[in-house]
Amino acid sequence: MAMTINQITIENFGGIAHLAVSLDEHIHLMETSYVEEMIVILTRLLSVEPQLPVSASWIRDGTRITANVFLSDKQYTVYIDADEKKSEMTLKAFDSNGNDKSSEYCLNLMHCVEEDNLTVFNGCDPEITERLYHYMDEETFYPQKSLSKLTDGCSNTNSFRLWLRRYIKDTPQEIPNDEMQYRFLCHLKALEFWDGFEDIRNLHYVRKPFIVKNYGEHLEHKNEISTLFDRAMDTGRQVIVLLPVNKEREKAGRKYERRQASRTSQA
């Protein structure tokens, strides 16, 4: 079951006074001066756990985020409101008839911490590039059953171990041109692994949008990045790439978007 964010409207949050964004359902390159604010908003809409802390200075009188979200064939209007005194943000979701479906919405998006950790690729963070091989050697890399805690016990099951060995065996080794692209590829492989595992055990599993940040400088590697982004979309996820404002990169981004539009129309 795929999740797509169609539109976000932001009022009085962080450095944003007012912003309305319509998102492409396949891949959206979002050039913005407010990358960190957008990360907080997107991860809140996706109910990613643990939730990122929100700076108290970002919340003001009249702070509100509104989003149109599709989960499979259901449309939700999602509101994130803020309590300025408590520096808290609360999420509520309503169906197309105006019924409060907050519990249903959040329940559908409930993933283990390890899966939610893969929702965002941050080019500035050190990544476990050999994550799947670390799963294979749990005693060395995840002491005191920490992997079991991160996966809500899934890693203890035979189905997890069998699928892990099969995925590693059937997936060819690939070495991109540089370290950043290698890390991105490893991240995608981990997403693919979890998607395959959830297909085995959970028919109602939601593929949350995949968010990419601090990766903009690699957009000039057109062939490599096109291949990796195509692979990200092949997971059935909406891909949202956050880019700091940069006029030269804007040209490269728009060219990629046009190529993707042409690819979609021909499909």
Side-chain angles (χ1 to χ4, degrees):
M1 182 162 57
M3 176 184 184
T4 305
I5 302 171
N6 284 29
Q7 188 171 33
I8 304 174
T9 302
I10 305 160
E11 304 283 353
N12 299 317
F13 182 67
I16 303 171
H18 173 81
L19 179 66
V21 183
S22 296
L23 283 73
D24 186 277
E25 64 178 316
H26 300 293
I27 181 165
H28 188 85
L29 305 182
M30 185 186 298
E31 187 128 12
T32 176
S33 299
Y34 309 104
V35 170
E36 296 310 315
E37 285 96 327
M38 292 306 306
I39 282 288
V40 168
I41 290 167
L42 289 168
T43 52
R44 294 272 170 154
L45 289 173
L46 305 184
S47 292
V48 170
E49 294 290 348
Q51 293 188 344
L52 295 172
V54 180
S55 172
S57 64
W58 286 5
I59 297 176
R60 306 192 295 280
D61 182 37
T63 293
R64 169 169 265 207
I65 293 97
T66 307
N68 293 329
V69 177
F70 279 88
L71 278 176
S72 188
D73 59 344
K74 292 185 179 180
Q75 181 178 356
Y76 296 88
T77 301
V78 183
Y79 299 101
I80 300 176
D81 289 313
D83 185 322
E84 188 176 8
K85 293 180 180 178
K86 296 181 181 179
S87 296
E88 292 179 350
M89 301 180 75
T90 57
L91 181 149
K92 284 195 172 293
F94 298 85
D95 66 15
S96 55
N97 295 317
N99 300 308
D100 189 338
K101 296 292 183 179
S102 304
S103 296
E104 174 185 277
Y105 179 86
C106 292
L107 183 63
N108 280 329
L109 297 179
M110 189 178 294
H111 291 176
C112 69
V113 171
E114 181 69 6
E115 288 175 285
D116 269 351
N117 185 46
L118 294 167
T119 302
V120 179
F121 177 85
N122 184 353
C124 289
D125 284 348
E127 291 266 322
I128 303 175
T129 53
E130 300 294 342
R131 186 186 297 264
L132 299 182
Y133 292 98
H134 289 192
Y135 290 169
M136 292 287 287
D137 192 1
E138 184 177 350
E139 291 184 3
T140 300
F141 296 103
Y142 296 95
Q144 300 179 337
K145 297 187 180 297
S146 59
L147 182 60
S148 178
K149 295 175 184 176
L150 291 171
T151 64
D152 292 342
C154 290
S155 62
N156 299 332
T157 64
N158 288 332
S159 57
F160 182 92
R161 292 290 154 189
L162 287 169
W163 172 243
L164 179 60
R165 287 195 291 270
R166 178 181 170 187
Y167 180 85
I168 291 175
K169 177 177 178 292
D170 292 346
T171 304
Q173 290 291 325
E174 302 163 81
I175 307 296
N177 287 339
D178 65 23
E179 175 63 22
M180 178 73 82
Q181 291 174 5
Y182 177 64
R183 286 168 49 200
F184 190 44
L185 177 62
C186 288
H187 197 107
L188 288 178
K189 286 184 176 181
L191 276 178
E192 291 171 353
F193 164 77
W194 276 100
D195 285 350
F197 177 67
E198 292 291 2
D199 285 344
I200 294 170
R201 75 174 192 128
N202 183 3
L203 294 176
H204 303 290
Y205 173 67
V206 173
R207 284 170 165 78
K208 297 181 182 182
F210 178 44
I211 305 165
V212 180
K213 62 177 286 193
N214 295 321
Y215 199 67
E217 67 273 17
H218 287 262
L219 281 175
E220 61 262 23
H221 302 295
K222 296 182 180 62
N223 292 333
E224 289 282 356
I225 200 64
S226 296
T227 300
L228 290 174
F229 280 177
D230 287 348
R231 182 162 178 169
M233 288 187 292
D234 284 344
T235 66
R237 285 178 163 78
Q238 181 184 32
V239 181
I240 303 171
V241 185
L242 298 175
L243 303 169
V245 173
N246 180 304
K247 295 302 180 184
E248 289 303 313
R249 191 169 54 249
E250 182 178 12
K251 296 177 183 177
R254 297 296 174 262
K255 184 176 181 180
Y256 182 76
E257 283 185 322
R258 288 195 296 271
R259 192 184 75 82
Q260 284 306 122
S262 175
R263 176 177 178 261
T264 302
S265 66
Q266 294 172 7

